[in-house]
Amino acid sequence: MPTNSPSAPAASGSRHRAPDRDRLGDFLTASWAVLHIPALVLLGLVVHQPWPAAPSAAPAATTPDLPLV
C-alpha cells in the first residue's frame, strides 16, 4: 500500500489537534471544586469528631442517696 494513500489519516495538521485551552472544561472543573471541596471537608470534620455522650434516661437526683440497710 502506498504511503500517500488518501484514506490514511493525516499525521500532521491542525484539524486533529486539541485546542490550546478548554475554557468550558476549566470552568466546569473549577465550579465542581468550589462547590464540592468545602462540602467534603465539612463532612470529614463531622465524621471524625467524637459524638457527645448520650444523656441518660434517668433524671438527675435532687436529694442525696440514702445509705443501704
Side-chain angles (χ1 to χ4, degrees):
M1 177 172 191
T3 58
N4 59 1
S5 173
S7 63
S12 64
S14 63
R15 65 181 180 158
H16 293 292
R17 216 180 313 165
D20 290 336
R21 297 288 298 173
D22 181 16
R23 292 197 174 131
L24 178 61
D26 292 344
F27 173 75
L28 292 175
T29 301
S31 298
W32 184 93
V34 165
L35 295 174
H36 286 83
I37 289 177
L40 292 173
V41 168
L42 288 175
L43 180 63
L45 290 174
V46 168
V47 168
H48 288 290
Q49 283 198 354
W51 293 100
S56 62
T62 56
T63 58
D65 293 337
L66 297 173
L68 295 175
V69 179

